Amino acid sequence: MKTLVISGGTDGMGRALARTYLERGDAVAVIGRDKSRAVPGATFIPADLSLISANRRVIEEVNARFPVVDALVLCARFFRTHRFVTAEGVEGTFALDYLSRFLLSYGLTAPRLIVNVSGPGQPTELIRWDDLMLERGYDGVAAQFQAGKANDLLGVAFAARHGDRTRYVLMHPGGVSTSLAGEYDRATAAHVARLKRHGLPVEEGIKPIVALIDAPPAEPLSAFLRERRISVDHPAFAPAAAERLHSRTLELIESSV
């Protein structure tokens, strides 16, 4: 029997993954904000994952209740057309889409596999090194791209530190018709509606993730666009950039609490 922990596990692909493994008889913990959306049988852990303090509470609870985690699946995301800053002073997209994944990745006790559902392979220029909190010229799409790129670098830095015990997988599931949760202006909402109409059904969208959980790659770090491998021997996964972001992230965490 496997034990899975899924952030964003009350909606979209996270919820579908929870249902899939519960039906197999596995133990599943889902992290989310709406208990009514949790799949029956899953352990529900309520949290606003955009907050560092909430992530730390979740980490303590998971480590206490599930000393062995076979797979940590990171799905939580939320789009914001307008800039939002958390009560801890962190730009909202960066906080939820990246910083939470950083904290959970490093905080859980030796998960055997981490699947970070993001969009691997984009150029490192998407990181605004001089303005990580996007205080100048905020754009919702740019915020999501920066968080996605940050997750690439998270995988690189994590594998360098813990690749001997944990396999780290960066997964782009392709266009999937999920709820695409967010706060959208009219033009962006119309684009999202088109994506929902033409995206893969959620049950289809999770298939490559299920395959990776069932048979994890041998390498410490790997990246996929659905079933197709993306080479991590590429400037998009530069170790120097990964270490730079790792240091900046630790500084941000320390200054925000």
Side-chain angles (χ1 to χ4, degrees), residues 145-196:
F145 272 117
Q146 173 173 257
K149 183 69 255 172
N151 281 306
D152 280 6
L153 301 181
L154 163 58
V156 173
F158 186 95
R161 288 165 171 79
H162 302 300
D164 58 331
R165 62 172 173 82
T166 300
R167 298 293 176 258
Y168 208 102
V169 178
L170 300 162
M171 161 57 68
H172 191 322
V176 181
S177 185
T178 68
S179 67
L180 297 172
E183 296 173 356
Y184 300 100
D185 60 19
R186 183 174 298 179
T188 309
H191 176 66
V192 168
R194 289 192 293 273
L195 289 176
K196 289 182 181 180

